[in-house]
Amino acid sequence: MATLIRMSEYRGGPGFVHFERGEITQLLTLYATRVARGEWRDYAIDVRPDGAVFSIFRHALERPLYTVTKSASGPKGSTWSVARAGRVVSRFPTLAGALGALERAPHPVVP
């Protein structure tokens, strides 16, 4: 049986971290570019208690190649981190920094 989750209960509460429309647009623009090159094939968006996560996959049945996490807002705003194979490789105060790290990420050899 499915459980009904009322989003209104989460949105008003403190600490609810989610992607804004502009942030999703920027993430999907980079994703579409890499899909066109044949490097990435699938993505997932998760909302967790500690932040929102955008995961990028080479194949849908594997672990994510990269994850971009927007962590809870602090006094200076949100913190962005990029992880590869489950290990955080860099942290940034802005999404632009995280996207720059993904753009500089090694490109796999595509047959």
Side-chain angles (χ1 to χ4, degrees):
M1 187 79 164
T3 303
L4 178 64
I5 298 174
R6 299 192 184 282
M7 294 305 293
S8 61
E9 295 172 6
Y10 291 93
R11 288 194 176 125
F16 177 73
V17 180
H18 61 283
F19 293 117
E20 302 291 332
R21 177 178 278 176
E23 295 166 346
I24 288 290
T25 301
Q26 291 176 29
L27 287 164
L28 289 176
T29 300
L30 175 62
Y31 172 78
T33 303
R34 300 294 280 270
V35 167
R37 292 184 198 156
E39 298 171 8
W40 297 345
R41 301 238 192 277
D42 200 7
Y43 73 93
I45 298 174
D46 299 311
V47 177
R48 300 178 182 163
D50 59 337
V53 180
F54 186 87
S55 302
I56 301 163
F57 298 87
R58 173 78 175 133
H59 299 288
L61 298 177
E62 295 179 351
R63 299 178 83 160
L65 287 174
Y66 300 100
T67 57
V68 178
T69 304
K70 179 181 180 182
S71 299
S73 298
K76 294 184 179 182
S78 300
T79 302
W80 295 84
S81 60
V82 177
R84 182 175 180 156
R87 294 178 37 191
V88 175
V89 292
S90 51
R91 294 185 196 280
F92 301 94
T94 63
L95 174 58
L99 292 175
L102 283 176
E103 289 173 355
R104 292 186 303 271
H107 300 273
V109 177
V110 180

